Amino acid sequence: MVSAPHEAMHRIFQKDPGLFSRLPEVLGLELPPLASAEPLTVDLTENEPLERRVDTLLRIETQNDGPFLLIIEAQGKRDPGKTASWPYYVTYLNNKYRLPVLLLVICQDHATAAWAARPLTIGLPQWPTVTTRPLVAGPHNMPVITNVAEARKDLALATLSAITHADNPDVDAILKTMSVALRDTPESIAEPFVELIAQGLGNRPAAQQWRNLVAVDLSFYTSPLSEGIRDEARAKRGSADVLLVLDARGIAISDRTREKITACTDPELLSQWLVRAALAATGDEIFGEAPSTDR
C-alpha cells in the first residue's frame, strides 16, 4: 500500500514542477539552465498484462541544450524489485520519447538513500550492458532550513527539505520555521504545502508537532487538515466536559462508559451527551442505554 510520506515526496514536484531547477546545486549535478517543466503521464504500461507506473514524470525544457525527462521516485525503504524496474523505466521512456532520461529518487533515511544511490547494472560483471545511476535526494544532502526568510524564498524546496528530514532530531525547529513562513502566505498558496508536510511526516512523532503548529500558528487556515485538528480539539474538550459533569454530580461510571466518552470524536454528539449528563441518573443514560452492571 502506498503511504502518505511516499506520496508527499514526489507530489511536491507535481505541485511545483520547477522545483527540480533548484536542486542541481544541492545534489552536486551540473545542468544547463532550465527553462520550464511539464508533468507527463506516469503510466508506462505496454500491451501486456504487467502494469508499470512511475511516481512522477516531468518533461524538463532547458534554455540551450534541449529537453529531457525527469522520473521522480519516492522510496521509503529498500526494495529489491527496483533493481529491475528502475532500469526499465529509463530505457522504456528513452525509447518512447527519444529524449535523455534522469532518475531522481527521494528518501527520508540515510540507509535507504545509500542503497538507492548504487548503480544498477544489467549484463555481465566483466561488461555491464546497461547501467542506471539514480540521483538521490535525502537527509544526507538536502539542506536543513531553519531560517524563515530562506523558507519563504522557496516554499517548495523548504517543504521537500522538511519531508526528507522527517527523522532529523531538529525536525521541531524545521517545522516551526515552515509554520512561521506560511503564516503570512496567501491560503491558496500555503494549502498544498501544509497538506504535503502532513502527508510526508506520516505517523512519525513529528506529525503531531506539525498538527499543533497548524492549530496555533495557522489558526486562520481552513484546510481539511486544520479543520480536522480543530474537531479533535473540540472533541477532547467535549469529552472532558461530559466526564466533569458526571463526576461533579457524583455519578459513578464504568470503564466501558469512560472509554466510550473519551473515544468519541463527534463534537455534536458530545454536546448531546453533555446535556444528558446534567440530568441522567446513571452514566449509561447519556447514551440512551439501560444502566450497565459493568462497574
Side-chain angles (χ1 to χ4, degrees):
M1 180 180 294
V2 176
S3 67
H6 175 280
E7 290 297 283
M9 282 191 282
H10 72 88
R11 282 184 55 230
I12 181 66
F13 290 88
Q14 297 177 11
K15 162 60 185 171
D16 185 353
L19 172 59
F20 181 70
S21 67
R22 281 98 75 190
L23 287 184
E25 183 178 352
V26 171
L27 302 177
L29 180 68
E30 292 187 9
L31 288 176
L34 306 184
S36 65
E38 172 192 0
L40 300 177
T41 177
V42 300
D43 192 348
L44 309 186
T45 306
E46 296 185 275
N47 293 326
E48 57 183 63
L50 185 61
E51 180 180 286
R52 301 178 189 268
R53 291 179 183 271
V54 299
D55 289 331
T56 289
L57 178 63
L58 303 177
R59 176 189 171 106
I60 305 290
E61 296 286 345
T62 67
Q63 294 181 12
N64 303 313
D65 293 358
F68 67 91
L69 300 181
L70 176 64
I71 303 170
I72 298 118
E73 285 279 286
Q75 198 63 36
K77 61 182 179 180
R78 300 183 184 192
D79 181 357
K82 298 300 183 180
T83 302
S85 60
W86 283 346
Y88 171 85
Y89 296 163
V90 172
T91 54
Y92 173 85
L93 289 168
N94 176 256
N95 183 66
K96 178 178 180 179
Y97 290 96
R98 301 299 179 181
L99 291 174
V101 181
L102 183 62
L103 170 62
L104 173 64
V105 182
I106 312 295
C107 303
Q108 290 180 293
D109 67 89
H110 291 273
T112 302
W115 166 83
R118 297 179 304 166
L120 304 174
T121 59
I122 298 175
L124 300 177
Q126 305 90 328
W127 194 273
T129 304
V130 176
T131 300
T132 302
R133 296 180 58 210
L135 185 64
V136 178
H140 64 295
N141 58 5
M142 288 297 295
V144 175
I145 299 178
T146 55
N147 180 281
V148 174
E150 186 179 353
R152 283 190 180 129
K153 184 178 179 181
D154 193 334
L155 291 172
L157 180 61
T159 297
L160 180 62
S161 175
I163 292 170
T164 55
H165 287 290
D167 294 319
N168 190 305
D170 295 326
V171 68
D172 286 358
I174 296 171
L175 297 178
K176 179 62 178 179
T177 299
M178 283 302 301
S179 70
V180 174
L182 291 168
R183 186 185 299 163
D184 299 325
T185 302
E187 188 172 327
S188 60
I189 297 175
E191 178 179 356
F193 299 124
V194 173
E195 301 294 334
L196 283 166
I197 292 174
Q199 276 191 316
L201 295 175
N203 58 4
R204 294 172 170 82
Q208 186 57 51
Q209 169 69 3
W210 182 241
R211 296 175 71 85
N212 294 340
L213 288 169
V214 171
V216 176
D217 289 352
L218 304 175
S219 58
F220 63 89
Y221 194 55
T222 57
S223 75
L225 173 65
S226 61
E227 289 302 308
I229 292 172
R230 293 181 192 112
D231 284 344
E232 286 180 9
R234 286 193 290 268
K236 287 181 180 179
R237 288 195 298 270
S239 60
D241 289 344
V242 172
L243 293 173
L244 181 63
V245 169
L246 292 173
D247 182 62
R249 296 186 61 225
I251 296 178
I253 59 174
S254 66
D255 291 340
R256 181 187 71 85
T257 297
R258 183 176 298 276
E259 290 173 3
K260 187 171 182 178
I261 293 171
T262 56
C264 182
T265 59
D266 185 342
E268 292 187 6
L269 182 57
L270 285 165
S271 294
Q272 295 176 14
W273 290 353
L274 181 61
V275 172
R276 294 175 186 172
L279 304 172
T282 67
D284 288 333
E285 287 183 16
I286 69 171
F287 310 130
E289 300 174 357
S292 172
T293 58
D294 180 19
R295 300 285 178 180

